[in-house]
Amino acid sequence: MTDKLIIFDTTLRDGEQSPGASMTREEKIRIAKALERMGVDVIEAGFPIASIGDFDAVKAVATVVKNSTVCGLARALNRDIDTAAEALKPASSRRIHTFIATSPIHMKMKLRMEPEQVIEQAVAAVKRARRYTDDVEFSAEDAGRSDIDFLCRIIESAIAAGATTVNIPDTVGYNLPNQFGSLIKTLIERIPNSDKAVFSVHCHNDLGLAVGNSLSGVLSGARQVECTVNGLGERAGNAALEEIVMAVRTRRDVFPCDVRLDTTQIVYCSRLVSNITGFPVQPNKAIVGANAFAHESGIHQDGVLKNRETYEIMRAEDVGWHANRIVLGKHSGRNAFRTRLRELGVEFSREEDLNEAFRRFKALADRKHEIYDEDLQALVTEADLAVSNERVKWVSLCVYSETGESPKSKITLWINGEERSHTAEGSGPVDATFKAIESIVDSGCTLLLYSVNALTTGTDALGEVTVRLDNAGRTVNGQGVDTDVIAASAKAYINALNKVMNPVARYHPQSEETATYVAVRKFPLVSNLLKLNSII
Ligand code: KIV
Ligand code: ZN
């Protein structure tokens, strides 16, 4: 009999911990809906105690998602658990995920606690979480570097206290596949009540082994994998959802379990996460990279034409790749526009938002005759990108470039209530444009990354630009889309600047920094919500 492998997606929590990948509530809702449509079993929506924004986002996801379990992360602390429970209240199916570190180095240096105290705190946390829901997950942070005897004891205690899922994270991506697999096997064999909980794996990719380690865990008996779309996540990221799912599907001969996902949604989800976070997908990335199914060499092409299985182990269409399909054009009406967006998981709660998106669609259709799903997605993402309380707004751009001459760019911005223009020269038109913006804003930021990506084929394609800025150690990503790549670049730079100027104060789940609590009238659990010292 084939077991079910539970897919636990943590794009909205661990994925969001990537520097610069933080998402707004609306962005999280869109990703959550796409994950739900794909059939993800559990969606970890965030860390509710981290900030009011996180609390709000988890609550919003819990409200809209109906067919997946919504999960909130909580340290093994009463206030974290109570806040997570409060945020998850609207969910049809909810899970509280509580964790504490179990490796000698974490217990001694980070927690400054004795192992016995750690067990006590874990047990108390699981019991408290069980007051709110029957679905409680316990994670032993840094399990990959923990002492096996201690790990057996704490997990046995957590299960006895009511944990229904026990998660074994390789938090720092240190393990090797054979080692990690035998860790899972040993735990399942040695823990007397291991049959009372689902064993889960959560692997980081520091040595590029997150997927390999996770699959090895599955072969050893784990029946939940924690993963993220595109492998987004802290440092080198987490195990990539698309790789886990397709490995299990493609190698049914090896895995004694299966997933219930609609894999044809994979490419869509990948694009959505990439557009929203501004983290481009490398072309040779397995499953979702642009070249993942492209056969360049003559020998390969010949083989694939004769019989596709000569070089393809999966079908491109099974993961959602299809030739760009024209969906709408200049003459499409508002209804067709709304219907297609609905099919893509985008709903407008306010009529004005639909009208504004439709206006932008018409403007795009004037410049670009054939509008694809990717274009529609970008149009909506562009609206989502708008940072609330924008301090700098784009007004216009004029670029001059001629062979043998230094390119010049004149930008006009709306800043602090007035319109200001500046012209600058640069080594290229984008460089000149960024210099012109900086002459007005003078942000002091360092440009860490500039990348351009064409959303569809054809020279009239929308160009999608990502700009990563560093401001005193804080990293933000900005995105811009336009058929004019220089304009897209300017928009991306301005988007990043607005994020720099609107810092979101958040608390990191794995830091033990002391938090200051403030009363916030808006929430019932006021004293539980954190106020952080401003980041910039
Ligand atoms: O990597 C990790 O250990 C985590 C835990 C919070 C599960 O993300
Ligand atoms: Zn993690």
Side-chain angles (χ1 to χ4, degrees), residues 10 14-19 170-174 202-211 213-214 226-241 279:
T10 182
D14 215 323
E16 203 196 19
Q17 285 173 216
S18 297
D170 182 18
T171 303
V172 290
Y174 177 70
H202 175 116
C203 298
H204 279 269
N205 206 30
D206 300 65
L207 293 173
L209 294 169
V211 170
N213 284 342
S214 304
E226 303 200 351
C227 47
T228 57
V229 175
N230 300 337
L232 194 70
E234 191 89 46
R235 305 181 311 279
N238 290 61
L241 176 146
F279 281 53

PDB file of all heavy atoms in Angstrom, residues 10 14-19 170-174 202-211 213-214 226-241 279:
ATOM      1  N   THR A  10       6.720  25.889   3.411  1.00  0.00           N
ATOM      2  CA  THR A  10       7.100  26.980   4.328  1.00  0.00           C
ATOM      3  C   THR A  10       7.671  28.191   3.573  1.00  0.00           C
ATOM      4  O   THR A  10       8.412  28.996   4.134  1.00  0.00           O
ATOM      5  CB  THR A  10       8.010  26.454   5.473  1.00  0.00           C
ATOM      6  OG1 THR A  10       8.304  27.537   6.368  1.00  0.00           O
ATOM      7  CG2 THR A  10       9.297  25.829   4.985  1.00  0.00           C
ATOM      8  N   ASP A  14       9.759  30.193   6.314  1.00  0.00           N
ATOM      9  CA  ASP A  14      11.212  30.057   6.179  1.00  0.00           C
ATOM     10  C   ASP A  14      11.667  30.758   4.895  1.00  0.00           C
ATOM     11  O   ASP A  14      12.708  31.419   4.856  1.00  0.00           O
ATOM     12  CB  ASP A  14      11.606  28.566   6.139  1.00  0.00           C
ATOM     13  CG  ASP A  14      12.942  28.309   6.821  1.00  0.00           C
ATOM     14  OD1 ASP A  14      13.835  29.162   6.681  1.00  0.00           O
ATOM     15  OD2 ASP A  14      13.109  27.268   7.478  1.00  0.00           O
ATOM     16  N   GLY A  15      10.854  30.635   3.832  1.00  0.00           N
ATOM     17  CA  GLY A  15      11.190  31.299   2.562  1.00  0.00           C
ATOM     18  C   GLY A  15      11.305  32.790   2.771  1.00  0.00           C
ATOM     19  O   GLY A  15      12.223  33.454   2.253  1.00  0.00           O
ATOM     20  N   GLU A  16      10.406  33.313   3.559  1.00  0.00           N
ATOM     21  CA  GLU A  16      10.396  34.765   3.793  1.00  0.00           C
ATOM     22  C   GLU A  16      11.611  35.216   4.597  1.00  0.00           C
ATOM     23  O   GLU A  16      11.933  36.401   4.638  1.00  0.00           O
ATOM     24  CB  GLU A  16       9.096  35.144   4.501  1.00  0.00           C
ATOM     25  CG  GLU A  16       8.744  36.587   4.293  1.00  0.00           C
ATOM     26  CD  GLU A  16       7.713  37.106   5.250  1.00  0.00           C
ATOM     27  OE1 GLU A  16       7.499  36.480   6.300  1.00  0.00           O
ATOM     28  OE2 GLU A  16       7.142  38.164   4.946  1.00  0.00           O
ATOM     29  N   GLN A  17      12.280  34.257   5.253  1.00  0.00           N
ATOM     30  CA  GLN A  17      13.470  34.624   6.037  1.00  0.00           C
ATOM     31  C   GLN A  17      14.699  34.880   5.156  1.00  0.00           C
ATOM     32  O   GLN A  17      15.745  35.255   5.658  1.00  0.00           O
ATOM     33  CB  GLN A  17      13.769  33.521   7.065  1.00  0.00           C
ATOM     34  CG  GLN A  17      12.780  33.553   8.236  1.00  0.00           C
ATOM     35  CD  GLN A  17      12.923  32.369   9.192  1.00  0.00           C
ATOM     36  OE1 GLN A  17      11.942  31.880   9.716  1.00  0.00           O
ATOM     37  NE2 GLN A  17      14.130  31.904   9.423  1.00  0.00           N
ATOM     38  N   SER A  18      14.575  34.676   3.830  1.00  0.00           N
ATOM     39  CA  SER A  18      15.683  35.045   2.927  1.00  0.00           C
ATOM     40  C   SER A  18      15.813  36.563   2.949  1.00  0.00           C
ATOM     41  O   SER A  18      14.800  37.250   2.837  1.00  0.00           O
ATOM     42  CB  SER A  18      15.366  34.698   1.477  1.00  0.00           C
ATOM     43  OG  SER A  18      15.202  33.365   1.318  1.00  0.00           O
ATOM     44  N   PRO A  19      17.037  37.061   3.039  1.00  0.00           N
ATOM     45  CA  PRO A  19      17.174  38.521   3.057  1.00  0.00           C
ATOM     46  C   PRO A  19      16.514  39.146   1.833  1.00  0.00           C
ATOM     47  O   PRO A  19      16.783  38.731   0.710  1.00  0.00           O
ATOM     48  CB  PRO A  19      18.693  38.735   3.025  1.00  0.00           C
ATOM     49  CG  PRO A  19      19.268  37.438   3.476  1.00  0.00           C
ATOM     50  CD  PRO A  19      18.301  36.361   3.097  1.00  0.00           C
ATOM     51  N   ASP A 170      17.472  19.755   9.692  1.00  0.00           N
ATOM     52  CA  ASP A 170      18.917  19.924   9.531  1.00  0.00           C
ATOM     53  C   ASP A 170      19.073  21.432   9.318  1.00  0.00           C
ATOM     54  O   ASP A 170      19.228  21.919   8.200  1.00  0.00           O
ATOM     55  CB  ASP A 170      19.418  19.119   8.324  1.00  0.00           C
ATOM     56  CG  ASP A 170      20.936  19.243   8.165  1.00  0.00           C
ATOM     57  OD1 ASP A 170      21.602  19.641   9.146  1.00  0.00           O
ATOM     58  OD2 ASP A 170      21.450  18.971   7.069  1.00  0.00           O
ATOM     59  N   THR A 171      19.010  22.140  10.427  1.00  0.00           N
ATOM     60  CA  THR A 171      18.889  23.600  10.404  1.00  0.00           C
ATOM     61  C   THR A 171      20.034  24.291   9.669  1.00  0.00           C
ATOM     62  O   THR A 171      19.851  25.315   9.031  1.00  0.00           O
ATOM     63  CB  THR A 171      18.808  24.104  11.869  1.00  0.00           C
ATOM     64  OG1 THR A 171      17.708  23.442  12.485  1.00  0.00           O
ATOM     65  CG2 THR A 171      18.643  25.600  11.967  1.00  0.00           C
ATOM     66  N   VAL A 172      21.231  23.734   9.800  1.00  0.00           N
ATOM     67  CA  VAL A 172      22.385  24.416   9.201  1.00  0.00           C
ATOM     68  C   VAL A 172      22.893  23.689   7.945  1.00  0.00           C
ATOM     69  O   VAL A 172      23.971  23.982   7.444  1.00  0.00           O
ATOM     70  CB  VAL A 172      23.528  24.597  10.229  1.00  0.00           C
ATOM     71  CG1 VAL A 172      23.138  25.605  11.279  1.00  0.00           C
ATOM     72  CG2 VAL A 172      23.892  23.267  10.902  1.00  0.00           C
ATOM     73  N   GLY A 173      22.134  22.734   7.458  1.00  0.00           N
ATOM     74  CA  GLY A 173      22.482  22.044   6.207  1.00  0.00           C
ATOM     75  C   GLY A 173      23.799  21.297   6.283  1.00  0.00           C
ATOM     76  O   GLY A 173      24.575  21.288   5.326  1.00  0.00           O
ATOM     77  N   TYR A 174      24.032  20.626   7.388  1.00  0.00           N
ATOM     78  CA  TYR A 174      25.337  20.009   7.671  1.00  0.00           C
ATOM     79  C   TYR A 174      25.375  18.521   7.318  1.00  0.00           C
ATOM     80  O   TYR A 174      26.429  17.952   7.067  1.00  0.00           O
ATOM     81  CB  TYR A 174      25.609  20.220   9.168  1.00  0.00           C
ATOM     82  CG  TYR A 174      26.870  19.611   9.693  1.00  0.00           C
ATOM     83  CD1 TYR A 174      28.109  20.127   9.339  1.00  0.00           C
ATOM     84  CD2 TYR A 174      26.824  18.534  10.573  1.00  0.00           C
ATOM     85  CE1 TYR A 174      29.284  19.583   9.844  1.00  0.00           C
ATOM     86  CE2 TYR A 174      27.991  17.980  11.086  1.00  0.00           C
ATOM     87  CZ  TYR A 174      29.211  18.503  10.713  1.00  0.00           C
ATOM     88  OH  TYR A 174      30.369  17.974  11.206  1.00  0.00           O
ATOM     89  N   HIS A 202      13.086  18.589   7.540  1.00  0.00           N
ATOM     90  CA  HIS A 202      13.175  20.018   7.203  1.00  0.00           C
ATOM     91  C   HIS A 202      14.661  20.297   6.976  1.00  0.00           C
ATOM     92  O   HIS A 202      15.428  20.433   7.934  1.00  0.00           O
ATOM     93  CB  HIS A 202      12.610  20.824   8.379  1.00  0.00           C
ATOM     94  CG  HIS A 202      12.738  22.313   8.254  1.00  0.00           C
ATOM     95  ND1 HIS A 202      11.642  23.145   8.162  1.00  0.00           N
ATOM     96  CD2 HIS A 202      13.823  23.139   8.210  1.00  0.00           C
ATOM     97  CE1 HIS A 202      12.047  24.403   8.090  1.00  0.00           C
ATOM     98  NE2 HIS A 202      13.368  24.429   8.120  1.00  0.00           N
ATOM     99  N   CYS A 203      15.088  20.307   5.715  1.00  0.00           N
ATOM    100  CA  CYS A 203      16.529  20.378   5.456  1.00  0.00           C
ATOM    101  C   CYS A 203      16.920  21.678   4.762  1.00  0.00           C
ATOM    102  O   CYS A 203      16.258  22.109   3.813  1.00  0.00           O
ATOM    103  CB  CYS A 203      16.949  19.194   4.579  1.00  0.00           C
ATOM    104  SG  CYS A 203      16.633  17.626   5.413  1.00  0.00           S
ATOM    105  N   HIS A 204      18.015  22.233   5.237  1.00  0.00           N
ATOM    106  CA  HIS A 204      18.547  23.450   4.591  1.00  0.00           C
ATOM    107  C   HIS A 204      19.636  23.055   3.606  1.00  0.00           C
ATOM    108  O   HIS A 204      20.215  21.965   3.670  1.00  0.00           O
ATOM    109  CB  HIS A 204      19.008  24.450   5.650  1.00  0.00           C
ATOM    110  CG  HIS A 204      17.839  25.222   6.200  1.00  0.00           C
ATOM    111  ND1 HIS A 204      17.428  26.414   5.647  1.00  0.00           N
ATOM    112  CD2 HIS A 204      16.961  24.941   7.185  1.00  0.00           C
ATOM    113  CE1 HIS A 204      16.348  26.839   6.298  1.00  0.00           C
ATOM    114  NE2 HIS A 204      16.045  25.961   7.247  1.00  0.00           N
ATOM    115  N   ASN A 205      19.921  23.984   2.698  1.00  0.00           N
ATOM    116  CA  ASN A 205      20.679  23.634   1.498  1.00  0.00           C
ATOM    117  C   ASN A 205      22.119  24.125   1.497  1.00  0.00           C
ATOM    118  O   ASN A 205      22.703  24.322   0.425  1.00  0.00           O
ATOM    119  CB  ASN A 205      19.925  24.209   0.287  1.00  0.00           C
ATOM    120  CG  ASN A 205      20.208  23.451  -0.964  1.00  0.00           C
ATOM    121  OD1 ASN A 205      20.480  22.240  -0.911  1.00  0.00           O
ATOM    122  ND2 ASN A 205      20.181  24.144  -2.093  1.00  0.00           N
ATOM    123  N   ASP A 206      22.709  24.316   2.668  1.00  0.00           N
ATOM    124  CA  ASP A 206      24.044  24.926   2.728  1.00  0.00           C
ATOM    125  C   ASP A 206      25.089  24.156   1.927  1.00  0.00           C
ATOM    126  O   ASP A 206      26.023  24.729   1.385  1.00  0.00           O
ATOM    127  CB  ASP A 206      24.466  25.089   4.190  1.00  0.00           C
ATOM    128  CG  ASP A 206      23.488  25.981   4.917  1.00  0.00           C
ATOM    129  OD1 ASP A 206      22.311  25.593   5.060  1.00  0.00           O
ATOM    130  OD2 ASP A 206      23.870  27.081   5.308  1.00  0.00           O
ATOM    131  N   LEU A 207      24.955  22.836   1.869  1.00  0.00           N
ATOM    132  CA  LEU A 207      25.886  22.044   1.056  1.00  0.00           C
ATOM    133  C   LEU A 207      25.212  21.541  -0.222  1.00  0.00           C
ATOM    134  O   LEU A 207      25.705  20.604  -0.864  1.00  0.00           O
ATOM    135  CB  LEU A 207      26.425  20.857   1.873  1.00  0.00           C
ATOM    136  CG  LEU A 207      27.320  21.222   3.057  1.00  0.00           C
ATOM    137  CD1 LEU A 207      27.644  19.984   3.885  1.00  0.00           C
ATOM    138  CD2 LEU A 207      28.616  21.883   2.585  1.00  0.00           C
ATOM    139  N   GLY A 208      24.096  22.147  -0.578  1.00  0.00           N
ATOM    140  CA  GLY A 208      23.386  21.731  -1.799  1.00  0.00           C
ATOM    141  C   GLY A 208      22.736  20.371  -1.654  1.00  0.00           C
ATOM    142  O   GLY A 208      22.462  19.698  -2.643  1.00  0.00           O
ATOM    143  N   LEU A 209      22.452  19.954  -0.395  1.00  0.00           N
ATOM    144  CA  LEU A 209      21.958  18.590  -0.170  1.00  0.00           C
ATOM    145  C   LEU A 209      20.541  18.547   0.418  1.00  0.00           C
ATOM    146  O   LEU A 209      20.087  17.490   0.855  1.00  0.00           O
ATOM    147  CB  LEU A 209      22.918  17.855   0.771  1.00  0.00           C
ATOM    148  CG  LEU A 209      24.316  17.603   0.184  1.00  0.00           C
ATOM    149  CD1 LEU A 209      25.277  17.126   1.257  1.00  0.00           C
ATOM    150  CD2 LEU A 209      24.241  16.593  -0.948  1.00  0.00           C
ATOM    151  N   ALA A 210      19.864  19.685   0.419  1.00  0.00           N
ATOM    152  CA  ALA A 210      18.558  19.723   1.095  1.00  0.00           C
ATOM    153  C   ALA A 210      17.577  18.717   0.505  1.00  0.00           C
ATOM    154  O   ALA A 210      16.891  17.997   1.244  1.00  0.00           O
ATOM    155  CB  ALA A 210      17.975  21.129   1.028  1.00  0.00           C
ATOM    156  N   VAL A 211      17.503  18.650  -0.822  1.00  0.00           N
ATOM    157  CA  VAL A 211      16.544  17.725  -1.435  1.00  0.00           C
ATOM    158  C   VAL A 211      17.008  16.286  -1.214  1.00  0.00           C
ATOM    159  O   VAL A 211      16.228  15.414  -0.813  1.00  0.00           O
ATOM    160  CB  VAL A 211      16.369  18.048  -2.943  1.00  0.00           C
ATOM    161  CG1 VAL A 211      15.575  16.948  -3.643  1.00  0.00           C
ATOM    162  CG2 VAL A 211      15.660  19.386  -3.105  1.00  0.00           C
ATOM    163  N   ASN A 213      18.893  15.056   1.155  1.00  0.00           N
ATOM    164  CA  ASN A 213      18.705  14.672   2.557  1.00  0.00           C
ATOM    165  C   ASN A 213      17.228  14.398   2.860  1.00  0.00           C
ATOM    166  O   ASN A 213      16.884  13.428   3.543  1.00  0.00           O
ATOM    167  CB  ASN A 213      19.230  15.769   3.488  1.00  0.00           C
ATOM    168  CG  ASN A 213      20.754  15.774   3.555  1.00  0.00           C
ATOM    169  OD1 ASN A 213      21.397  14.788   3.200  1.00  0.00           O
ATOM    170  ND2 ASN A 213      21.333  16.878   3.991  1.00  0.00           N
ATOM    171  N   SER A 214      16.358  15.277   2.341  1.00  0.00           N
ATOM    172  CA  SER A 214      14.925  15.103   2.619  1.00  0.00           C
ATOM    173  C   SER A 214      14.446  13.775   2.044  1.00  0.00           C
ATOM    174  O   SER A 214      13.710  13.024   2.694  1.00  0.00           O
ATOM    175  CB  SER A 214      14.095  16.228   1.989  1.00  0.00           C
ATOM    176  OG  SER A 214      14.554  17.476   2.436  1.00  0.00           O
ATOM    177  N   GLU A 226       9.167  19.245   4.661  1.00  0.00           N
ATOM    178  CA  GLU A 226       8.988  20.693   4.693  1.00  0.00           C
ATOM    179  C   GLU A 226       9.852  21.276   3.581  1.00  0.00           C
ATOM    180  O   GLU A 226      11.053  20.972   3.485  1.00  0.00           O
ATOM    181  CB  GLU A 226       9.383  21.233   6.065  1.00  0.00           C
ATOM    182  CG  GLU A 226       8.553  20.554   7.154  1.00  0.00           C
ATOM    183  CD  GLU A 226       8.488  21.289   8.481  1.00  0.00           C
ATOM    184  OE1 GLU A 226       9.216  22.276   8.664  1.00  0.00           O
ATOM    185  OE2 GLU A 226       7.706  20.848   9.335  1.00  0.00           O
ATOM    186  N   CYS A 227       9.248  22.100   2.775  1.00  0.00           N
ATOM    187  CA  CYS A 227       9.963  22.587   1.590  1.00  0.00           C
ATOM    188  C   CYS A 227       9.404  23.941   1.166  1.00  0.00           C
ATOM    189  O   CYS A 227       8.420  24.418   1.745  1.00  0.00           O
ATOM    190  CB  CYS A 227       9.828  21.574   0.467  1.00  0.00           C
ATOM    191  SG  CYS A 227       8.146  20.972   0.228  1.00  0.00           S
ATOM    192  N   THR A 228      10.056  24.537   0.196  1.00  0.00           N
ATOM    193  CA  THR A 228       9.611  25.852  -0.281  1.00  0.00           C
ATOM    194  C   THR A 228       9.645  25.883  -1.808  1.00  0.00           C
ATOM    195  O   THR A 228      10.448  25.184  -2.427  1.00  0.00           O
ATOM    196  CB  THR A 228      10.549  26.984   0.220  1.00  0.00           C
ATOM    197  OG1 THR A 228      11.873  26.682  -0.219  1.00  0.00           O
ATOM    198  CG2 THR A 228      10.530  27.142   1.716  1.00  0.00           C
ATOM    199  N   VAL A 229       8.809  26.715  -2.375  1.00  0.00           N
ATOM    200  CA  VAL A 229       8.803  26.890  -3.833  1.00  0.00           C
ATOM    201  C   VAL A 229      10.137  27.515  -4.257  1.00  0.00           C
ATOM    202  O   VAL A 229      10.622  28.463  -3.636  1.00  0.00           O
ATOM    203  CB  VAL A 229       7.627  27.804  -4.240  1.00  0.00           C
ATOM    204  CG1 VAL A 229       7.669  28.107  -5.740  1.00  0.00           C
ATOM    205  CG2 VAL A 229       6.311  27.160  -3.848  1.00  0.00           C
ATOM    206  N   ASN A 230      10.743  26.963  -5.257  1.00  0.00           N
ATOM    207  CA  ASN A 230      12.048  27.411  -5.785  1.00  0.00           C
ATOM    208  C   ASN A 230      13.183  27.218  -4.776  1.00  0.00           C
ATOM    209  O   ASN A 230      14.273  27.766  -4.955  1.00  0.00           O
ATOM    210  CB  ASN A 230      12.037  28.886  -6.235  1.00  0.00           C
ATOM    211  CG  ASN A 230      11.035  29.155  -7.338  1.00  0.00           C
ATOM    212  OD1 ASN A 230      10.665  28.243  -8.058  1.00  0.00           O
ATOM    213  ND2 ASN A 230      10.612  30.402  -7.475  1.00  0.00           N
ATOM    214  N   GLY A 231      12.924  26.521  -3.686  1.00  0.00           N
ATOM    215  CA  GLY A 231      13.967  26.302  -2.681  1.00  0.00           C
ATOM    216  C   GLY A 231      14.321  27.574  -1.918  1.00  0.00           C
ATOM    217  O   GLY A 231      15.384  27.666  -1.290  1.00  0.00           O
ATOM    218  N   LEU A 232      13.400  28.546  -1.944  1.00  0.00           N
ATOM    219  CA  LEU A 232      13.642  29.811  -1.230  1.00  0.00           C
ATOM    220  C   LEU A 232      13.855  29.528   0.259  1.00  0.00           C
ATOM    221  O   LEU A 232      13.297  28.569   0.789  1.00  0.00           O
ATOM    222  CB  LEU A 232      12.378  30.663  -1.402  1.00  0.00           C
ATOM    223  CG  LEU A 232      12.438  32.129  -1.065  1.00  0.00           C
ATOM    224  CD1 LEU A 232      13.283  32.857  -2.103  1.00  0.00           C
ATOM    225  CD2 LEU A 232      11.029  32.727  -1.073  1.00  0.00           C
ATOM    226  N   GLY A 233      14.625  30.348   0.928  1.00  0.00           N
ATOM    227  CA  GLY A 233      14.754  30.147   2.374  1.00  0.00           C
ATOM    228  C   GLY A 233      16.025  30.742   2.936  1.00  0.00           C
ATOM    229  O   GLY A 233      16.904  31.186   2.204  1.00  0.00           O
ATOM    230  N   GLU A 234      16.084  30.692   4.232  1.00  0.00           N
ATOM    231  CA  GLU A 234      17.236  31.182   4.994  1.00  0.00           C
ATOM    232  C   GLU A 234      18.566  30.753   4.335  1.00  0.00           C
ATOM    233  O   GLU A 234      18.707  29.595   3.939  1.00  0.00           O
ATOM    234  CB  GLU A 234      17.113  30.529   6.386  1.00  0.00           C
ATOM    235  CG  GLU A 234      18.025  31.051   7.431  1.00  0.00           C
ATOM    236  CD  GLU A 234      17.435  32.226   8.197  1.00  0.00           C
ATOM    237  OE1 GLU A 234      16.286  32.181   8.606  1.00  0.00           O
ATOM    238  OE2 GLU A 234      18.184  33.203   8.375  1.00  0.00           O
ATOM    239  N   ARG A 235      19.503  31.645   4.215  1.00  0.00           N
ATOM    240  CA  ARG A 235      20.824  31.389   3.582  1.00  0.00           C
ATOM    241  C   ARG A 235      20.705  30.727   2.201  1.00  0.00           C
ATOM    242  O   ARG A 235      20.136  31.310   1.299  1.00  0.00           O
ATOM    243  CB  ARG A 235      21.723  30.555   4.507  1.00  0.00           C
ATOM    244  CG  ARG A 235      21.921  31.147   5.912  1.00  0.00           C
ATOM    245  CD  ARG A 235      22.839  30.263   6.738  1.00  0.00           C
ATOM    246  NE  ARG A 235      22.460  28.887   6.707  1.00  0.00           N
ATOM    247  CZ  ARG A 235      21.490  28.351   7.464  1.00  0.00           C
ATOM    248  NH1 ARG A 235      20.861  29.100   8.348  1.00  0.00           N
ATOM    249  NH2 ARG A 235      21.190  27.078   7.357  1.00  0.00           N
ATOM    250  N   ALA A 236      21.195  29.468   2.095  1.00  0.00           N
ATOM    251  CA  ALA A 236      21.152  28.795   0.783  1.00  0.00           C
ATOM    252  C   ALA A 236      19.778  28.195   0.510  1.00  0.00           C
ATOM    253  O   ALA A 236      19.572  27.544  -0.517  1.00  0.00           O
ATOM    254  CB  ALA A 236      22.217  27.701   0.743  1.00  0.00           C
ATOM    255  N   GLY A 237      18.856  28.379   1.398  1.00  0.00           N
ATOM    256  CA  GLY A 237      17.485  27.967   1.161  1.00  0.00           C
ATOM    257  C   GLY A 237      17.105  26.622   1.755  1.00  0.00           C
ATOM    258  O   GLY A 237      17.883  25.983   2.468  1.00  0.00           O
ATOM    259  N   ASN A 238      15.875  26.231   1.440  1.00  0.00           N
ATOM    260  CA  ASN A 238      15.304  24.967   1.930  1.00  0.00           C
ATOM    261  C   ASN A 238      15.232  23.979   0.769  1.00  0.00           C
ATOM    262  O   ASN A 238      15.569  24.320  -0.363  1.00  0.00           O
ATOM    263  CB  ASN A 238      13.879  25.221   2.436  1.00  0.00           C
ATOM    264  CG  ASN A 238      13.844  26.021   3.718  1.00  0.00           C
ATOM    265  OD1 ASN A 238      14.291  27.152   3.773  1.00  0.00           O
ATOM    266  ND2 ASN A 238      13.314  25.435   4.766  1.00  0.00           N
ATOM    267  N   ALA A 239      14.725  22.795   1.043  1.00  0.00           N
ATOM    268  CA  ALA A 239      14.509  21.824  -0.035  1.00  0.00           C
ATOM    269  C   ALA A 239      13.438  22.388  -0.973  1.00  0.00           C
ATOM    270  O   ALA A 239      12.432  22.934  -0.514  1.00  0.00           O
ATOM    271  CB  ALA A 239      14.044  20.504   0.565  1.00  0.00           C
ATOM    272  N   ALA A 240      13.683  22.254  -2.280  1.00  0.00           N
ATOM    273  CA  ALA A 240      12.735  22.817  -3.260  1.00  0.00           C
ATOM    274  C   ALA A 240      11.523  21.892  -3.401  1.00  0.00           C
ATOM    275  O   ALA A 240      11.676  20.709  -3.710  1.00  0.00           O
ATOM    276  CB  ALA A 240      13.421  22.979  -4.606  1.00  0.00           C
ATOM    277  N   LEU A 241      10.350  22.472  -3.200  1.00  0.00           N
ATOM    278  CA  LEU A 241       9.102  21.697  -3.275  1.00  0.00           C
ATOM    279  C   LEU A 241       8.992  20.951  -4.598  1.00  0.00           C
ATOM    280  O   LEU A 241       8.697  19.753  -4.640  1.00  0.00           O
ATOM    281  CB  LEU A 241       7.924  22.661  -3.095  1.00  0.00           C
ATOM    282  CG  LEU A 241       6.518  22.096  -3.228  1.00  0.00           C
ATOM    283  CD1 LEU A 241       5.564  22.809  -2.281  1.00  0.00           C
ATOM    284  CD2 LEU A 241       5.965  22.179  -4.634  1.00  0.00           C
ATOM    285  N   PHE A 279      13.275  37.087  -6.564  1.00  0.00           N
ATOM    286  CA  PHE A 279      14.386  36.134  -6.644  1.00  0.00           C
ATOM    287  C   PHE A 279      14.231  35.368  -7.956  1.00  0.00           C
ATOM    288  O   PHE A 279      13.366  34.500  -8.060  1.00  0.00           O
ATOM    289  CB  PHE A 279      14.349  35.141  -5.475  1.00  0.00           C
ATOM    290  CG  PHE A 279      14.888  35.695  -4.196  1.00  0.00           C
ATOM    291  CD1 PHE A 279      14.415  36.888  -3.691  1.00  0.00           C
ATOM    292  CD2 PHE A 279      15.868  35.020  -3.482  1.00  0.00           C
ATOM    293  CE1 PHE A 279      14.902  37.410  -2.503  1.00  0.00           C
ATOM    294  CE2 PHE A 279      16.371  35.534  -2.298  1.00  0.00           C
ATOM    295  CZ  PHE A 279      15.879  36.733  -1.808  1.00  0.00           C
TER     296      PHE A 279
END
